[in-house]
Amino acid sequence: MTEECVAKRVEINGIVQGVGFRPFVYQLANQYNLKGEVANTSSGVSIHLEGNRQNIESFCRDISEKKPPLAHITEIDLFDEPVCDHQAFTIVDSREQLVMTTLISPDVSVCDDCRHELFDIHDRRFGYPFINCTNCGPRYTIINDIPYDRPKTSMKSFKMCPICQAEYDDPENRRFHAQPNACSDCGPHVSLFDNTRKKVATPNPVAKTAALLKQGYIIAIKGLGGFHLAADAENNDAVVRLRKRKHREEKPLAIMSYDVERIRKYARVEQQEAELLTSPQRPIVLLTKKEPNSIAQAVAPRNRYFGALLPYTPLHYLLLSQDFTALVMTSGNLSEEPIAIDNEDAFNRLSHIADYFLIHNRDIYLRSDDSIVRKAAGAIRFVRRSRGYVPVPVFLNKKVPPILACGAELKNTVCLTKGNQAFLSQHIGDLENLATYDFFKLTIRHMQRILNVHPEIVAFDLHPDYLSTRFAEEMESINKIQIQHHHAHIVSAMAENRIDGPVIGLSFDGTGYGTDGAMWGGEILIADIEKFYRAAHFAYVPMPGSTAAIKEPWRMAVSYLYDAFGDKFWGLDLPLLKEMDAIKVKIMVDMVNKKINSPLTSSLGRLFDGVASIIGIRNQVYFEGQAAMELEMLATGQADSIYDYEWITTEGHQILTRPIIQGVVNDMNNGIHPSVISRKFHQTLIQMFSDLCAVIRKKSGLKRVVLSGGVFQNSILLTGLIKVLEKENFKVFSHTQVPANDGGISLGQALVAAAVTSR
Ligand code: ZN
Ligand code: ZN
Ligand code: FE
């Protein structure tokens, strides 16, 4: 029976390069007896098919349904083509095209197949720390340009041996066109050095590293997106030494274990959390500690959680298989600097922290920190969205012009838009030093190149002193749009939930520059994408010492107490007033009265800090949000009542902190346990915000509430507020794709800028 032969061209866009897509297409074409060819293009993958019409239809259906695990298809287009009598189905070399819209895969953890080979003594890659295939391995961090082919990656300096080349050329092989394909004969290798750069003579650097870790040494290990500093997580001395050398006093350290079973020894792992841990993205997952546990006290002091992750490179697997419960795997930097990625740079910067260096000779082109997630209110919440997730875009509900959004100051990320896709960068860090600022500029250049975006608009924060603001202002021939911080927060949540306004937006964080020059942070906005107004906010209180009041919550405590009690606060029986020098407290009061270096703030983050200090948790913090975080963790008590709350209504509503502070102090005086006070404080906020939303709904008719800002990393507040608001028939939107903190703000900035300029 002869059937009519037809020809079609199938154009596929999305993450379809470097994820085993062409071999999948090749096998599918053979299965349906189709001839033709497939090629990577700069816009995705292009397939020419010839054969029976029905088979072509089945082929197209299978493309979407059976695609490789890492592929992400955004568009499939079908075109008629003339038949040109192909004799077979072939894979052709990449073509460069003028339109470059291809998506690049993030770095993904080593797959199960490769892991089995890694530990199979009969496999030729047994114990080889760089094993990978089309389904796994490095991507984003080794790519310098597109299209994604070996010469455009840091694998270009390794010439494949004949066996690897044969795998690479064989469409039936799992390593067919796996760009980083390598083996111990032809690929990168590891070596061990001491911190004077003397090579350690050993036949097995990985096993030697494990032995040194067991003896309590600190080792800098080159990974996928940068260096880690590793130590045995059960050795308290080693962890304390690491903290001291790294100048990282209290911030929790991430720990890595071989498998979920081992993590269960020290932390509770629910089903959804196990799925996150084992996902190809391999993020750090915040898990509730089990008590008692064998992990060193210094890993996460005064914290109810461990940040744990599973190995994601073959090298990690080889190390962790040497019988560790867990290894500390913290970023290879001195506090606040970007992580080291380059061997030379690592030796220069980390020699006084690490005793040894386990390095390798494959370059990292772009650093990418580990991502951090947690489960809260039934969904994944990003604390940091970086390795494993970047550069997967957030898909928008409409197309926007090419925009660069510069983000905020802390936890900076940038965002580039292209059509209906918004690409957030990996975590860049706090833009407070030159090294981080350089990384910020490098990331912008790199992303523009690999995404082929030429921004017409730059969006940036209203704060005049941010480095990102200065960067934007120095750009030439580009449309500049300045955006209010808390509006950007709300719009970032609207963007990932694909909603336009208007909405009631609860924008709660530590600090952001307000349109009146005050430090905002406890804002209820009525907002659409383009504009907003303040429906309610916390009444202003002074921040004596400005940014010093962020690092020293006792300053905020004095400010709130003085506001609530006037001079009578001196007579209160509070731990803070016993611990702090009366002269220092007096200076704060004078600063407030004389308005010296005491900017006004409406920040909810500062209120958390102040309450934490008043109830005796801490007067000083070592990292951003520490006091607020510890206040949340303390909220284990049962509270059967809440504090009085009050707002005054003029143009908008101004929430008074006075009655809440008075209630907290009253409870302290009555000997109520801080764990009850903390719980009561949380319940008060939840009830109060819900009441306020009801009042605003009555006047505005708005039923949709959007939650954003760093305060929503507080899971009691997030969970409680969603529950109460939904009970009151509000539709609630929160973050599940980008962080609620400033790490997500560039997405909001981009969308506001698009709306403002399309007016
Ligand atoms: Zn693999
Ligand atoms: Zn080889
Ligand atoms: Fe913020």
Side-chain angles (χ1 to χ4, degrees), residues 485 489 509 511 710 742 745:
H485 188 99
H489 267 308
D509 64 2
T511 184
D742 287 3
I745 219 164

Side-chain angles (χ1 to χ4, degrees), residues 190-194 198-202 205 208-209 212 219 356-359:
V190 292
S191 35
L192 184 65
F193 289 81
D194 69 14
K198 220 166 71 208
K199 193 165 178 175
V200 177
T202 166
K208 179 71 184 166
T209 299
L212 290 166
I219 315 228
Y356 291 92
F357 288 75
L358 182 64
I359 64 171

Side-chain angles (χ1 to χ4, degrees), residues 82-158:
V83 179
C84 43
D85 280 330
H86 279 267
Q87 295 306 307
F89 193 88
T90 52
I91 296 176
V92 297
D93 274 346
S94 296
R95 309 167 188 159
E96 304 214 20
Q97 287 194 338
L98 286 175
V99 197
M100 296 203 184
T101 55
T102 190
L103 296 179
I104 289 160
S105 164
D107 302 288
V108 277
S109 66
V110 55
C111 71
D112 290 348
D113 290 335
C114 286
R115 195 150 48 86
H116 288 136
E117 291 171 357
L118 181 67
F119 290 110
D120 175 4
I121 193 150
H122 302 297
D123 192 273
R124 75 182 191 95
R125 288 189 180 84
F126 173 66
Y128 180 58
F130 300 92
I131 188 168
N132 68 82
C133 71
T134 44
N135 298 320
C136 74
R139 298 287 187 276
Y140 181 61
T141 53
I142 61 163
I143 292 172
N144 203 25
D145 207 346
I146 47 171
Y148 173 61
D149 268 337
R150 192 161 172 123
K152 303 277 172 74
T153 73
S154 63
M155 286 300 293
K156 66 168 187 265
S157 48
F158 302 96

